[in-house]
Amino acid sequence: MPSGPTPTDRLLVGLSRLAPAAEDLDRIRGLSPGTVDWDELVRRAVREGVSPLVYHSLRPFGASVPPEALNTLRTRYYGNEIRNSRLYRGIAPLIGAVGAALLGMMLFGESASPMRLACIALIVAGIAGLKLSTPG
C-alpha cells in the first residue's frame, strides 16, 4: 500500500478546483505517459461528483489526455450542464419573485408583514431543498 498520495490522487485534487493552481497546471503539462491511471482518475472523479470540474480543467490539455478518458469526462460535463439548465429553468421564476418582493420591501417601503416574510422563507427553503436533494 502506498504511503502517500499517488500522482493520480494529486492530479484529481488539483483538477477538482474551479480554477486549478498554476502548480496543478504545471503538473499536467509535465506528466509522463503512464504516470497517471486515467481509468482510475475518471472513476474517482465520477464517484466524487467532480467529473465536470475535471473536464473543465483538462480541456486545454485534450491532446495529452487519453481519448476515452476525455470522452467520458466530456459526456459527464455536458450532462451536468443540461441538468443545471433544467433546474435553473424550474427555479428562475421563484428566484425572480423573491427578488422582486425583497426589493419592494427595501426600496419602495412595501409591507414586510410576518406572513409575507414567511412565504419568502418557504420559497427560499424550497429552492435550497431542491438543490440539496438533487443528485449529481
Side-chain angles (χ1 to χ4, degrees), residues 87-88 90-102 105 114-132:
L87 284 174
Y88 179 75
I91 64 172
L94 296 175
I95 293 171
V98 168
L102 291 175
M105 286 184 282
M115 183 60 80
R116 187 174 200 177
L117 293 175
C119 289
I120 291 172
L122 286 173
I123 292 171
V124 171
I127 293 168
L130 176 64
K131 176 62 181 151
L132 294 174

Side-chain angles (χ1 to χ4, degrees), residues 10 24 29 31 35 55-56 63 73 87 96 99-100 108 111 120 136:
R10 288 192 299 273
D24 298 317
R29 285 184 195 95
L31 285 175
T35 306
Y55 175 72
H56 176 77
L73 292 169
L87 284 174
F108 303 113
S111 166
I120 291 172

Side-chain angles (χ1 to χ4, degrees), residues 1 11 13 21 27-28 39 41 63 66 78 83 91 97 99 106 111-114 121 128 132 134:
M1 177 164 250
L11 186 60
V13 169
R27 186 176 298 131
I28 297 167
D39 291 335
L41 184 132
Y78 287 111
R83 181 188 68 86
I91 64 172
M106 291 188 300
S111 166
S113 69
L132 294 174
T134 303

Side-chain angles (χ1 to χ4, degrees), residues 26-88:
D26 290 341
R27 186 176 298 131
I28 297 167
R29 285 184 195 95
L31 285 175
S32 330
T35 306
V36 173
D37 181 347
W38 289 100
D39 291 335
E40 178 64 15
L41 184 132
V42 169
R43 263 192 308 277
R44 288 184 47 209
V46 169
R47 184 179 66 226
E48 299 297 329
V50 295
S51 56
L53 284 173
V54 171
Y55 175 72
H56 176 77
S57 299
L58 281 175
R59 276 196 300 194
F61 305 98
S64 307
V65 180
E68 290 132 9
L70 200 59
N71 287 339
T72 299
L73 292 169
R74 180 184 304 113
T75 300
R76 302 290 297 197
Y77 177 87
Y78 287 111
N80 187 62
E81 185 177 316
I82 290 167
R83 181 188 68 86
N84 288 346
S85 294
R86 287 180 182 153
L87 284 174
Y88 179 75

